[in-house]
Amino acid sequence: MRPGTLKLRGDTRRPEAGVFPDLDSKGYTVVKGAIPAERAAEYVQRMYGWLESFNLGFKGNDPSTWHIDRVPYFNRGGIYTRNGAGHEQFAWDIRGEPGVINAFAKIWGTDELLVSFGESCYGTMLIADAVNISLPYPKEEMEGQRGKPWPHVDQSPNKRFKNCIQGIANLEKNGPDDGGLMVLSGSLPLFEEYFKAKEASGDAPEWSWRDAAWYSDDDLQWFYDRGCKWVKVEADPGDLILWDSRTIHYGANAQGSRPRVAAYVCYKPAADIHPDMKAAKLHAMEHHISTSHDPLLFRMTGSQIEKKIAEDERPGPIVKPVLTQRMKRLAGLVDY
């Protein structure tokens, strides 16, 4: 399935303006208490239990075991893009949290939503819709690509309108040094201007319909010259962080003593999905295949699609998840 071959209409439904004012002005916001704190703590323990199930020596309650050779493969600071993480029961339970769903229902003006699921990795191009367990690993273990910032947007330059709002269900206390979402404040209103300037300069490639664009140091300087600055988004356990996909961002590594534990979530109106993509979604769900972040226009990815990194890589979740009726509708298994 190649979603880029589908016609992208200019009149596609847009997220509601003014529901979360900071989303329109800053490109991001924090919705307090979307998940009760006690349930957020339970999710942390369940996610630690998932890491422990690989029997590599990791123990969630023993920081002396927090080393990269004791956990399965991850991208960047702690994004788990394989081994069926996105279809584990804890991932679906987070997607089914009423407070998380309600925030997106406000954004779209409807509670008849579809959710993305699984993890997403386009080779070296990572689009976040996974689980994130960023532990404060020793600095020497995070050298190379895993330790570098990776500024990007999660929207194709061919779509310059407000098209997608993404979310992070934050499960641990997330302060200035605990890893997490870094946003380039002021970059949202410059999204269209930047790509127009690139085209006018003759330095623009043929933009892909893939929902990703990456920024070099020279690209970022263009934004710095216009007053944009990096901001670390802080959140409490159970908070929902939202951002417009046109906002430049990346996930910072944990630098202090606390871990970052979170899940990525994204919902869009069910009525807007193309029939071909609905069929692809059902196929992905049936086979526990991962998808990229946009619930309506996605690529299938993950351990069943990408080349294996480890011989013992799991093709899906440990146990097939049990879905509520609400989750089945979010997955596209049951119509509204």
Side-chain angles (χ1 to χ4, degrees):
M1 179 62 62
R2 296 177 59 199
T5 64
L6 298 178
K7 183 178 179 182
L8 295 174
R9 307 193 322 267
D11 61 349
T12 300
R13 189 186 325 209
R14 312 291 172 81
E16 298 278 351
V19 176
F20 296 109
D22 283 351
L23 263 180
D24 302 317
S25 59
K26 296 181 180 180
Y28 67 95
T29 194
V30 178
V31 181
K32 303 299 293 182
I35 300 174
E38 61 273 16
R39 280 213 296 276
E42 291 173 3
Y43 287 131
V44 171
Q45 294 307 310
R46 290 169 69 183
M47 290 165 76
Y48 282 168
W50 179 74
L51 286 183
E52 290 171 354
S53 73
F54 289 88
N55 297 316
L56 297 174
F58 170 82
K59 299 294 181 184
N61 63 356
D62 183 359
S64 71
T65 69
W66 294 0
H67 294 276
I68 63 173
D69 62 351
R70 298 191 181 188
V71 296
Y73 174 85
F74 61 85
N75 273 291
R76 306 296 176 173
I79 299 176
Y80 286 89
T81 62
R82 294 177 176 268
N83 294 293
H87 282 289
E88 291 290 348
Q89 187 70 58
F90 60 76
W92 275 105
D93 289 344
I94 292 170
R95 293 183 192 114
E97 281 286 343
V100 175
I101 298 170
N102 289 344
F104 282 90
K106 291 178 182 177
I107 288 170
W108 291 105
T110 178
D111 62 0
E112 295 186 356
L113 302 168
L114 291 175
V115 69
S116 56
F117 42 83
E119 328 85 300
S120 176
C121 184
Y122 302 153
T124 60
M125 298 182 67
L126 181 71
I127 307 299
D129 184 39
V131 297
N132 192 311
I133 309 173
S134 293
L135 302 172
Y137 296 110
K139 186 176 181 180
E140 62 272 16
E141 295 183 12
M142 296 300 290
E143 293 178 351
Q145 194 70 11
R146 279 175 167 165
K148 293 180 179 179
W150 39 299
H152 65 283
V153 293
D154 294 322
Q155 186 162 316
S156 167
N158 290 317
K159 295 187 288 187
R160 300 183 186 179
F161 50 88
K162 188 177 183 180
N163 176 67
C164 189
I165 303 299
Q166 295 168 254
I168 294 172
N170 186 66
L171 304 172
E172 274 276 20
K173 179 71 176 177
N174 193 249
D177 299 320
D178 300 330
L181 186 65
M182 296 287 296
V183 298
L184 189 59
S185 180
S187 64
L188 171 61
L190 296 172
F191 182 83
E192 184 172 8
E193 181 183 342
Y194 167 74
F195 289 112
K196 284 184 175 179
K198 291 283 280 188
E199 291 167 345
S201 70
D203 189 33
E206 182 178 349
W207 307 121
S208 169
W209 284 104
R210 181 171 288 176
D211 277 323
W214 297 72
Y215 295 82
S216 67
D217 289 342
D218 288 341
D219 296 330
L220 292 174
Q221 191 59 52
W222 186 92
F223 289 91
Y224 299 153
D225 290 345
R226 287 156 180 78
C228 297
K229 298 182 183 298
W230 287 106
V231 173
K232 169 63 171 63
V233 181
E234 299 179 29
D236 291 317
D239 289 351
L240 174 66
I241 303 171
L242 299 171
W243 78 95
D244 188 305
S245 296
R246 298 170 294 173
T247 303
I248 299 176
H249 65 283
Y250 71 91
N253 295 339
Q255 301 293 329
S257 59
R258 285 194 302 244
R260 177 201 183 195
V261 185
Y264 298 90
V265 290
C266 188
Y267 307 70
K268 276 188 168 184
D272 292 351
I273 195 167
H274 189 283
D276 289 350
M277 297 310 297
K278 183 175 181 180
K281 200 172 189 75
L282 291 173
H283 174 79
M285 188 63 207
E286 180 183 357
H287 296 282
H288 300 116
I289 296 171
S290 306
T291 71
S292 51
H293 68 277
D294 191 318
L296 306 184
L297 200 63
F298 55 85
R299 280 177 167 79
M300 291 186 282
T301 63
S303 292
Q304 294 196 40
I305 302 296
E306 305 288 338
K307 182 179 178 180
K308 280 190 175 184
I309 291 177
E311 282 302 315
D312 58 350
E313 195 167 321
R314 297 171 179 169
I318 301 172
V319 178
K320 183 178 179 179
V322 177
L323 305 186
T324 65
Q325 192 73 358
R326 185 71 172 108
M327 293 175 192
K328 290 178 181 178
R329 289 194 170 99
L330 291 171
L333 297 174
V334 175
D335 290 335
Y336 284 95

